[in-house]
Amino acid sequence: MKFRQLVLAAFLAGVFSTTHAMDMLTLQRVVPLPNLMQLSMQQAQTLQLTVPQQATLKQWAMQHLPAQDQLATEIVRLENVLREQILAGASAANVSQTAQALEVPRAALIEIRRQCVAQLRQVLTPAQWQQVLQQVADKVPMPATAPMMKMLPQ
């Protein structure tokens, strides 16, 4: 068991080191809020962003990307610890402690996304902001959820 944990830790350390950007699928999974800054920067031409707007958004993104990656990495690490604890039969108290610890980086990552929206609303014109919202509505369908009881065999 310890060997498996060491191998997993080494693998995660290499994959999620701070020198590598968090892969987008993992980032979307750990914080299911659209990355509007990335979307806005990718759609700069469509949004008709001015050079000063692009520079401001790029500067904001560069300042916040490292923290976002670190938080997402910590969320993944804690989720793995939580999974291992549950599978190993850890006590409810240990599992609860890890679950509570998981909320700290998750809340911080959500706060970065909130700040991102505030920054975009400040930099973009109202028309550009509406275009971003429309692009999100077009590209990011809300996942349909089914009550768990309906998933159980009858």
Side-chain angles (χ1 to χ4, degrees):
M1 179 87 167
K2 260 197 187 283
F3 176 74
R4 195 170 124 204
Q5 288 175 332
L6 288 172
V7 169
L8 180 63
F11 173 75
L12 291 174
V15 171
F16 297 122
S17 71
T18 55
T19 59
H20 296 90
M22 173 70 59
D23 81 78
M24 292 310 297
L25 291 176
T26 302
L27 190 55
Q28 288 172 354
R29 184 188 59 72
V30 299
V31 61
L33 302 169
N35 188 337
L36 300 181
M37 185 66 69
Q38 180 183 19
L39 178 67
S40 298
M41 291 171 63
Q42 287 174 342
Q43 298 295 321
Q45 188 173 7
T46 303
L47 294 171
Q48 297 179 341
L49 296 180
T50 65
V51 172
Q53 284 176 314
Q54 290 180 46
T56 300
L57 296 181
K58 183 177 180 181
Q59 179 183 3
W60 192 95
M62 295 304 290
Q63 288 175 345
H64 292 85
L65 184 61
Q68 181 173 275
D69 281 354
Q70 288 173 342
L71 291 166
T73 299
E74 180 64 5
I75 291 167
V76 169
R77 186 189 73 75
L78 288 169
E79 287 175 342
N80 288 330
V81 168
L82 192 59
R83 183 182 62 251
E84 288 295 321
Q85 285 177 328
I86 291 169
L87 293 175
S91 70
N94 285 344
V95 170
S96 179
Q97 183 178 10
T98 303
Q100 288 175 358
L102 181 59
E103 294 308 311
V104 174
R106 193 175 305 277
L109 191 52
I110 290 169
E111 175 58 18
I112 289 175
R113 290 289 172 94
R114 187 203 63 76
Q115 291 173 8
C116 172
V117 169
Q119 177 70 7
L120 284 167
R121 291 185 77 135
Q122 182 179 357
V123 172
L124 300 179
T125 67
Q128 289 169 326
W129 175 245
Q130 287 306 310
Q131 283 182 283
V132 169
L133 293 179
Q134 186 59 52
Q135 288 178 7
V136 169
D138 292 344
K139 288 185 176 188
V140 185
M142 296 304 289
T145 57
M148 288 298 292
M149 293 303 291
K150 288 185 179 182
M151 292 182 192
L152 297 175
Q154 299 298 325

